[in-house]
Amino acid sequence: MCQVGCFLKTPRFPIWVVCSESHFSILFSLQPGLLRDWRTERLFDLYYYDGLANQQEQIRLTIDTTQTISEDTDNDLVPPLELCIRTNIGSALGFKYPVGNNQTAVQDNVKVSLAFGLSIATLAQSVGHISGAHLNPAVTLGLLLSCQISIFRALMYIIAQCVGAIVATAILSGITSSLTGNSLGRNDLADGVNSGQGLGIEIIGTLQLVLCVLATTDRRRRDLGGSAPLAIGLSVALGHLLAIDYTGCGINPARSFGSAVITHNFSNHWIFWVGPFIGGALAVLIYDFILAPRSSDLTDRVKVWTSGQVEEYDLDADDINSRVEMKPK
């Protein structure tokens, strides 16, 4: 079966071989900027050539991606070439045309994943020295179980994260109020994914994130190089590439909570708290007891949990190389 555009996600030239009407033809554009400037994608021309039909006249098709169209309930009524342009060519250019229910499909997963990862890396680099830049209750829980923060501070962080998520989602709701069917990024299970599978995906996605946070902020390690915030951001992007098709990729209970509150929809919401918390706890067990065991006894750990220390994140105060998370002194 011929799939148009399957190898043309980022073509060098705006030329596509099309299999339509049971034979091959050509679609091309005279605008090279179509491949490097997203503004060009709003309105552009495609030219069609069908050698089999001995075409003598120029066929120019104007594509307007800013408009939505009424869809026929019977897909057989859609001309094959039009359907090809709306789906395969759109995917090759990096966006999708309105193909159903008069709604425009979302951007591809790579763009969404990179947006999440780079934003986390930027925030961690910018405010890490102020608060530690947890930004995520699962990360906060992991650092709590790893005895790097007190219980009180962890609770305050989680409350602040949830409040911030609600405020941010409310702002987004106001900005995008004209969009129909806007879920505001609410996480839910995809079709065919049951609650157990969704829980497992959230556990795996969060486990690798919290494990990355613990490993890249461990000052006992002398082999660390590069940027810890960037590594954490890439870990977030990896989690989204893994899970976004199945659960929307929660891995951050606060973000899931903000969208659920504003949309008044808590369907399967428990998964996006239980899964990340289990994943964060497992990451602590793996790192602190298997990959990099610590010698501190229970008394030291309880001391940190209840009252913290002068340097809250230092479990072994006498060890100058003890782990310190990005934090204020």
Side-chain angles (χ1 to χ4, degrees), residues 1 57 61 68 77 97 111 131 133 141 143 145 152 155 169 172 182 185 215 227 255 268 271 279 300 312 329:
M1 180 178 179
E57 297 180 354
L61 308 171
T68 57
L77 298 179
Y97 291 93
K111 291 183 179 179
S131 64
L141 177 66
L143 295 174
L145 296 179
F152 176 77
L155 290 175
T169 308
L172 178 63
N182 187 6
S227 170
R255 189 185 73 80
N268 297 312
I271 292 173
D300 294 327
E312 180 132 12
K329 291 292 185 181

Side-chain angles (χ1 to χ4, degrees), residues 113 116-117 120 208-209 231-241 249 251:
S113 301
F116 271 102
I120 292 298
Q208 61 86 27
L209 169 60
I232 295 169
L234 291 176
S235 180
V236 172
L238 174 63
H240 281 77
L241 289 171
C249 190
I251 70 174

Side-chain angles (χ1 to χ4, degrees), residues 19-204:
C19 183
S20 179
E21 302 288 358
S22 302
H23 66 279
F24 290 99
S25 52
I26 296 292
L27 273 171
F28 63 94
S29 174
L30 300 179
Q31 300 172 251
L34 192 64
L35 304 177
R36 56 179 179 269
D37 186 355
W38 64 269
R39 288 179 291 268
T40 310
E41 299 170 359
R42 294 173 175 172
L43 183 67
F44 60 94
D45 291 330
L46 285 179
Y47 294 87
Y48 179 71
Y49 177 74
D50 189 344
L52 185 63
N54 295 318
Q55 177 182 326
Q56 299 297 323
E57 297 180 354
Q58 181 186 89
I59 299 178
R60 185 178 67 180
L61 308 171
T62 299
I63 312 300
D64 187 350
T65 64
T66 65
Q67 301 296 319
T68 57
I69 60 175
S70 299
E71 293 290 334
D72 294 314
T73 55
D74 187 355
N75 288 333
D76 293 337
L77 298 179
V78 180
L81 181 60
E82 181 182 349
L83 186 62
C84 176
I85 292 174
R86 284 196 235 151
T87 55
N88 300 102
I89 301 303
S91 297
L93 292 173
F95 56 86
K96 297 181 180 179
Y97 291 93
V99 295
N101 298 326
N102 202 28
Q103 294 180 359
T104 302
V106 297
Q107 292 282 0
D108 62 59
N109 292 350
V110 175
K111 291 183 179 179
V112 175
S113 301
L114 288 177
F116 271 102
L118 293 177
S119 63
I120 292 298
T122 301
L123 286 171
Q125 184 70 52
S126 302
V127 302
H129 65 292
I130 298 174
S131 64
H134 295 188
L135 308 174
N136 184 339
V139 172
T140 298
L141 177 66
L143 295 174
L144 172 65
L145 296 179
S146 186
C147 293
Q148 298 188 47
I149 58 175
S150 66
I151 294 176
F152 176 77
R153 177 170 291 193
L155 290 175
M156 293 299 101
Y157 274 23
I158 292 175
I159 292 173
Q161 290 156 2
C162 291
V163 172
I166 293 173
V167 172
T169 308
I171 294 173
L172 178 63
S173 178
I175 295 174
T176 61
S177 58
S178 60
L179 298 179
T180 59
N182 187 6
S183 66
L184 298 174
R186 189 184 68 84
N187 293 309
D188 204 350
L189 301 179
D191 293 338
V193 178
N194 61 43
S195 57
Q197 293 169 330
L199 183 66
I201 290 170
E202 287 296 309
I203 290 174
I204 294 172

Side-chain angles (χ1 to χ4, degrees), residues 157-327:
Y157 274 23
I158 292 175
I159 292 173
Q161 290 156 2
C162 291
V163 172
I166 293 173
V167 172
T169 308
I171 294 173
L172 178 63
S173 178
I175 295 174
T176 61
S177 58
S178 60
L179 298 179
T180 59
N182 187 6
S183 66
L184 298 174
R186 189 184 68 84
N187 293 309
D188 204 350
L189 301 179
D191 293 338
V193 178
N194 61 43
S195 57
Q197 293 169 330
L199 183 66
I201 290 170
E202 287 296 309
I203 290 174
I204 294 172
T206 312
L207 188 152
Q208 61 86 27
L209 169 60
V210 177
L211 191 63
C212 177
V213 172
L214 294 174
T216 56
T217 58
D218 189 348
R219 284 194 176 178
R220 295 175 299 164
R221 295 181 57 181
R222 298 184 179 276
D223 60 330
L224 289 176
S227 170
L230 180 59
I232 295 169
L234 291 176
S235 180
V236 172
L238 174 63
H240 281 77
L241 289 171
L242 165 72
I244 199 169
D245 281 330
Y246 306 103
T247 64
C249 190
I251 70 174
N252 185 336
R255 189 185 73 80
S256 302
F257 182 69
S259 298
V261 169
I262 300 300
T263 60
H264 307 290
N265 189 339
F266 288 86
S267 174
N268 297 312
H269 184 65
W270 65 272
I271 292 173
F272 302 101
W273 282 91
V274 176
F277 278 176
I278 293 177
L282 289 176
V284 174
L285 291 176
I286 292 173
Y287 191 81
D288 276 5
F289 295 93
I290 298 176
L291 299 181
R294 304 192 68 89
S295 59
S296 302
D297 57 27
L298 181 60
T299 302
D300 294 327
R301 293 177 177 271
V302 171
K303 180 181 179 182
V304 176
W305 284 336
T306 55
S307 59
Q309 295 177 350
V310 176
E311 291 211 26
E312 180 132 12
Y313 303 99
D314 282 345
L315 193 57
D316 300 322
D318 294 334
D319 183 3
I320 61 172
N321 292 318
S322 60
R323 178 172 54 216
V324 179
E325 200 245 349
M326 294 178 296
K327 64 170 194 352

